[in-house]
Structure formats: C-alpha cells, structure tokens
Amino acid sequence: MNNLNSDDINILDLPDEILFMIFKKLNSTDVLHSLVDINKQFRRLALDSLYVRDLDMTDFVTINSLYDQTSSIDTKILSKIYEKILPRIHHQVHKLTIEQYSMKNILLAAIYPKLYYLSLINFQEEILYQYLTNDLILRDLMKQITHLNIDTKNKTEYCSVTVSKIFEIILSLCKNLTSLNFCDMFPIRTNQTSMFYLSSKRHMSSTLIKLKINVASLVDCLYLLDGRLDSLTILIINVRQIFDPVIDIGSRKKLPKLKYFSFTASTFTCYYDILIVPLLCRMINLEELKLYLSLQRFNSTYIDGIQLYDQFLGCMTQLKRFIFWINTKVFNETANVELQSNKDIQHSFIGRGYEQVASYVHTNSTNTRGQCIIYSLPYDFENFVDLDNSFQGGVFYKVRQLTMSDRISFEHQLFQRISADFPFLQILYISNSHPQNNKSYSSLLITFPYLKFLDLQYAHVNYAELFLLKNNVHLPRLLNLRVEYESLANLTNNFTNDATYFNFHTLKSLDVCQSFVRPENFHHYFPLL
C-alpha cells in the first residue's frame, strides 16, 4: 500500500464503507504515503477530519537499538507530505507526534489551531533546548498545548543541566498545560531532572494536574511538592537516589490536593523510616498509592503489613487502592533480632483491608542477614528487581524489565519458569558469577518472544551459552546484547564455530564492555552491525 498510485487500483468503484476499512488498517504515515498520487475520492475520504486527528510522524524512524534511534527517512515522501498534505489537514490535527529530523519542516508547513496533544520524541537535549528557546513558531504553539510528552536521548549523564532547563522552559511557556510526561517514556532512558539547576524556586505552574517525571533524588521530589505546582493531583515519579539531604528540604505541610501518587526508587535506601514515611503521611486525601521500593534496614525486621498500616496507611482515610512492591534487606550484625518467616509476613496482611499479597523470604544460615520481597497482586509494575532462587512463581503480564541476581547458580528450570511467568519480557539483566550445576538442558526450547535487550556482563559464561545458542533459547527479537568479550570468544571458539548456531542474526547493538579488534569473519556472526 505504501507505493499505491492511481494506476494500481480502481478505487472509484469501491463504496466508502470499504475505503474506511482499508484506511483503518493503515497507520497515519502509511496513509500519507498513499495519498501522494492517489485518486480524488480516496484522498477526500482519507483527509476527512474523522481520520487525521492523530498524526504520528515517527513512523519514518527505524529503531536500531533501545539506546538510540537512527533516521531512515524517505525525504521525497516527506517533502510531498510537507508540501501537499499538511497544508490541507493542519486545521484538523488534534494530536501530533514529531521526531527531531522532521520538526523544522512540520512547524513551517502549516499552523495547527486545534492541536492540544504534542509528543516530541528522540530529541538531542541541546537541539530541543534551542528550539524551545529560539523557535518562535514552536514557542507560540506551546501556549495552546494541554498534553505534552517529552523524550530526550543522552547516553553519558544521569542528571543533565540542559534537561532541567528544558523542564523549566516548558512550565514557563505552556500556560494551558494540564498533563506532562517529562523524559519518562521509554524504560532504557536515564535522563533525570534536578530541581537544583532551576533558576527559580518559586511557583512554576497553576494549571498542571498530572506530572510523570524522573528525578535525581528525593530532594527533587520534595521540591516539586512544596507548593510550586499548586494544582497537581497526580504525580508519577521515579527517584534515582534517596539520601539524607542534611539541608532543609522544604515544606512539611499536608498535601490535600494530591489524589494519586506513584513512587519508584531505583536504588536501595536506608532512609525509608525518616524520609519516605513522613512524606506519605502528608498525603491525607490520597485515593491511590503505588510504591516500588528497595530498602536496607539495620538491626530491624522486614517491612510487613502491620508496619505499613501503622506507619501511614491507617491515616489515609480516602485510600481506595494500594499497589506495592517492597524489597527489604536487613543487616542485624550488632543486635539479636528475630526475623519474620514467610508465614509471619503473610499473616501480617490479614484483617487490615489488603487484597491478595505475595511474599518470599530469603534468610542465610546465621539469621543475621535476610531479604524479604512483598508485592500486591495482580502485579502492576513494568519492573521486577532482585529475583533470585527463592522466587515462588506467578503471572507477571505487565513486566517488561527483569533483573536476576543471586550467589547460587541459576539452573535451566528457573529460566523455563521465567519465560512462562514473564511472557512479555523485553529487557533482562542477569548477575550471577556461579556456573550452572546442571548443563543437561531440556529438549524443550525456551522462548522469550519479545526480548530486545539482554545483559550478561556480570554473568558466568554458562548463561551466555544458554541464551545465545539457538538450540537452547529462541530470541526472535533480540536487538541489544551486553556481554564480556571473553564469553563471546569462548562460546564461538574464537569465532570459528558455525555462525548459524547463535542468536546473533537480529542484533543491532553489541556492547562487549572493552575494546577489541574485529576478526575477519565478524560480519558472519553479526550481519546487522
């Protein structure tokens, strides 16, 4: 259909109902391809406002890896779209998704008086910053936007000054903005915003109702909740680090307007009791709470249902739903603390209004250290971290990213369970230096049909052998591989074994964590690199 023209098919003889069905099978840019030379009836129907309200121009970008996206634009097609299509449909477009390469032409092609939903995808930080600072067309357009999604690419810095400046400019320009997803659109992106870099600590927005954002620390979260976003009712926030700020961290006032709070901490913290609990106690009218926490406690017990209720849930009288995943590691080297059993953990949730809760406890032989993971069911997060051999199984339809780590080897049966329990897994990290005890793999082929990213950097060579040999695991969509070069060399017998034995043919990105000289037949193993 992409190369369709008026000589290929007599569309004039088809009723509008059939044309409508054809149109609905196409995405927006396929339609635009087809419109370039097609006859008047189909052009009129396809350009009707019913069909072109949501325009996605990123379909011209081919994703080569989860780290980056490279452009494979057909410039002739795009030129015709800019010149012939956009001037005809510009007044009908309500939603628009743009990537960096087409931004300038789309802005110059027409005005968009009804546009309210804008997504800017895969932009380099500095380029987006320049657009927002100097492009008068974009700046004027931003004033009418109510829903905005921002995605920037940056491989080197976890926290960028430029990203923080972009955040500040957006809140200044967008006078009607009610919903903002700021740099939290794709799981592999690491850009975070720091309030420390903002030029002003004063009021930022009186219209913003919903914010989704990655920030560098809990301090940034506290700044966002100190009154500068005075209409905020929904906050979805991913915090990289939680530490004692030492300095004054702002208001301790209640947060009566906040109705929905989703809080994810990506690293372990020992400040749960003194920082996170007081923050939650301020949310007196919360209706839905979502927590994803990794905690360290010293001379203490695991977090359980009794503690959660006594610390903050009992005060949230409006709460209708509590979704959580809490991983507690305890270190009781200087105190004799009796740790709860898994039965004790389960019993702590009875009679306090909780729905179904799963848990598993891993305690070492000295009983001075232990780990307990508790989570609500059905599981409602895209990430699952610290899965080990204590895993009890379950159904995890929403999980896209999994991290496995243990000091005991992962055997073949566990990976069979993982492939079944996490059917839509896209990103997998394996950290285990211990060789497998049983390498007599089952004749049943393990399949990860959606896996795009596999990290074996901190895994024994056995796991490279398991995952990268086609006879063991089927990986039809693998794009990115991170692995030690030595593991690759051992597995391929210094790149002399038959290349067709391996799951390399779909790879578009290879990170071997060290420099190396490509062997002569490297391309036979990695044809797309």
Side-chain angles (χ1 to χ4, degrees):
M1 196 69 178
N2 284 356
N3 299 318
L4 189 63
N5 58 55
S6 55
D7 297 326
D8 295 325
I9 185 170
N10 187 8
I11 299 180
L12 292 174
D13 295 334
L14 298 177
D16 281 0
E17 293 81 2
I18 300 299
L19 292 178
F20 173 76
M21 293 176 62
I22 295 174
F23 182 88
K24 296 297 286 185
K25 293 293 185 182
L26 302 172
N27 62 42
S28 58
T29 49
D30 285 329
V31 172
L32 295 180
H33 276 248
S34 305
L35 288 175
V36 172
D37 295 309
I38 208 166
N39 63 59
K40 293 181 179 179
Q41 182 183 359
F42 191 63
R43 183 184 295 114
R44 175 191 58 76
L45 181 68
L47 291 179
D48 187 274
S49 62
L50 176 64
Y51 309 128
V52 292
R53 291 180 178 178
D54 188 350
L55 183 59
D56 188 346
M57 297 298 293
T58 63
D59 294 325
F60 290 105
V61 178
T62 299
I63 299 177
N64 277 353
S65 77
L66 290 178
Y67 289 119
D68 199 3
Q69 298 177 352
T70 57
S71 174
S72 59
I73 299 175
D74 187 330
T75 55
K76 291 182 178 180
I77 291 293
L78 278 178
S79 178
K80 291 183 178 181
I81 290 173
Y82 302 145
E83 295 173 7
K84 297 182 179 181
I85 306 301
L86 290 181
R88 294 192 59 186
I89 67 172
H90 67 101
H91 60 287
Q92 303 165 356
V93 177
H94 291 185
K95 298 183 179 182
L96 180 60
T97 302
I98 310 174
E99 46 77 35
Q100 178 176 305
Y101 302 100
S102 59
M103 171 78 124
K104 181 177 180 180
N105 289 314
I106 290 174
L107 292 178
L108 292 174
I111 60 173
Y112 305 89
K114 295 183 179 179
L115 183 68
Y116 73 92
Y117 195 113
L118 179 63
S119 298
L120 304 178
I121 306 297
N122 202 41
F123 275 76
Q124 293 178 8
E125 297 170 6
E126 291 296 336
I127 290 178
L128 180 56
Y129 177 71
Q130 291 301 321
Y131 267 113
L132 291 169
T133 305
N134 301 321
D135 193 293
L136 296 180
I137 299 177
L138 178 61
R139 287 174 64 88
D140 190 57
L141 184 64
M142 297 291 269
K143 296 176 183 178
Q144 71 190 53
I145 298 299
T146 61
H147 294 69
L148 180 63
N149 299 317
I150 298 291
D151 169 57
T152 61
K153 52 185 179 182
N154 183 14
K155 298 180 183 179
T156 58
E157 298 180 37
Y158 282 118
C159 188
S160 165
V161 177
T162 304
V163 169
S164 299
K165 290 181 178 179
I166 291 172
F167 179 71
E168 188 172 25
I169 291 175
I170 286 172
L171 292 182
S172 174
L173 282 177
C174 301
K175 300 301 184 182
N176 295 302
L177 191 65
T178 60
S179 177
L180 172 61
N181 183 329
F182 190 76
C183 299
D184 192 18
M185 298 186 66
F186 304 106
I188 205 66
R189 301 293 200 196
T190 57
N191 284 340
Q192 291 144 6
T193 308
S194 175
M195 303 301 115
F196 176 80
Y197 297 122
L198 301 185
S199 61
S200 172
K201 303 298 182 184
R202 299 188 301 273
H203 176 266
M204 287 195 287
S205 174
S206 60
T207 61
L208 194 65
I209 296 173
K210 178 180 179 181
L211 174 62
K212 186 176 183 183
I213 190 171
N214 290 314
V215 296
S217 72
L218 180 65
V219 176
D220 301 307
C221 175
L222 296 174
Y223 276 138
L224 288 172
L225 292 172
D226 70 357
R228 65 189 65 209
L229 301 173
D230 54 6
S231 295
L232 197 66
T233 60
I234 300 173
L235 178 58
I236 303 168
I237 192 164
N238 183 1
V239 177
R240 178 169 175 78
Q241 292 182 321
I242 301 174
F243 53 84
D244 188 349
V246 181
I247 60 173
D248 181 26
I249 54 177
S251 174
R252 308 300 200 279
K253 294 180 180 179
K254 301 298 183 183
L255 300 166
K257 290 187 177 181
L258 203 61
K259 304 295 183 182
Y260 178 96
F261 184 57
S262 175
F263 184 91
T264 299
S266 55
T267 56
F268 276 93
T269 179
C270 58
Y271 292 101
Y272 166 79
D273 295 281
I274 64 174
L275 292 180
I276 298 177
V277 171
L279 173 61
L280 296 174
C281 288
R282 295 167 58 193
M283 304 175 185
I284 54 176
N285 291 325
L286 213 61
E287 296 178 2
E288 185 167 339
L289 174 61
K290 195 170 184 179
L291 295 178
Y292 191 95
L293 300 172
S294 295
L295 312 176
Q296 290 180 336
R297 302 184 103 191
F298 299 90
N299 301 325
S300 184
T301 58
Y302 303 126
I303 297 293
D304 62 13
I306 296 174
Q307 294 181 56
L308 293 174
Y309 186 84
D310 291 344
Q311 288 175 324
F312 56 85
L313 292 177
C315 302
M316 296 178 175
T317 58
Q318 306 300 314
L319 195 66
K320 298 180 176 64
R321 192 179 185 205
F322 178 40
I323 303 165
F324 61 92
W325 181 94
I326 301 176
N327 180 8
T328 311
K329 288 185 177 181
V330 296
F331 304 88
N332 297 328
E333 305 291 350
T334 60
N336 185 16
V337 178
E338 184 177 355
L339 295 174
Q340 309 99 304
S341 66
N342 196 58
K343 184 178 180 180
D344 295 330
I345 295 293
Q346 284 290 319
H347 189 265
S348 71
F349 289 96
I350 298 176
R352 291 178 174 82
Y354 295 100
E355 298 183 5
Q356 189 176 0
V357 176
S359 63
Y360 60 92
V361 173
H362 185 104
T363 306
N364 67 13
S365 57
T366 64
N367 207 40
T368 60
R369 297 186 179 189
Q371 180 179 8
C372 174
I373 296 179
I374 57 175
Y375 49 90
S376 55
L377 295 174
Y379 195 83
D380 199 41
F381 298 92
E382 291 190 355
N383 290 359
F384 197 109
V385 179
D386 255 12
L387 185 147
D388 62 15
N389 283 287
S390 302
F391 178 62
Q392 300 297 306
V395 179
F396 301 87
Y397 289 124
K398 289 191 176 183
V399 173
R400 300 295 181 266
Q401 180 170 315
L402 173 65
T403 301
M404 302 176 62
S405 61
D406 206 337
R407 297 181 178 180
I408 304 173
S409 62
F410 293 135
E411 299 301 331
H412 190 266
Q413 294 81 358
L414 178 61
F415 290 111
Q416 285 181 317
R417 173 181 287 181
I418 296 299
S419 66
D421 291 354
F422 299 84
F424 301 106
L425 194 64
Q426 296 180 6
I427 301 171
L428 176 59
Y429 297 87
I430 299 176
S431 177
N432 195 318
S433 60
H434 295 270
Q436 292 180 295
N437 296 317
N438 182 10
K439 292 180 59 179
S440 300
Y441 301 139
S442 166
S443 59
L444 181 63
L445 185 67
I446 299 176
T447 299
F448 289 92
Y450 298 99
L451 194 69
K452 297 179 181 180
F453 180 96
L454 177 62
D455 190 329
L456 300 172
Q457 180 180 4
Y458 301 108
H460 191 274
V461 67
N462 282 176
Y463 305 104
E465 180 180 351
L466 172 63
F467 273 86
L468 299 179
L469 283 172
K470 288 182 178 180
N471 287 340
N472 300 330
V473 177
H474 181 45
L475 303 174
R477 300 189 184 186
L478 188 64
L479 295 175
N480 305 78
L481 175 63
R482 180 182 293 157
V483 65
E484 291 289 343
Y485 181 79
E486 183 179 354
S487 294
L488 274 186
N490 289 337
L491 185 62
T492 61
N493 194 21
N494 288 319
F495 297 94
T496 60
N497 291 341
D498 190 337
T500 61
Y501 292 164
F502 305 99
N503 284 311
F504 298 150
H505 63 288
T506 58
L507 285 178
K508 295 184 178 181
S509 173
L510 176 64
D511 181 359
V512 295
C513 316
Q514 65 187 79
S515 59
F516 71 100
V517 178
R518 292 190 176 191
E520 292 184 4
N521 57 346
F522 183 85
H523 185 68
H524 294 158
Y525 290 86
F526 306 99
L528 301 182
L529 294 182

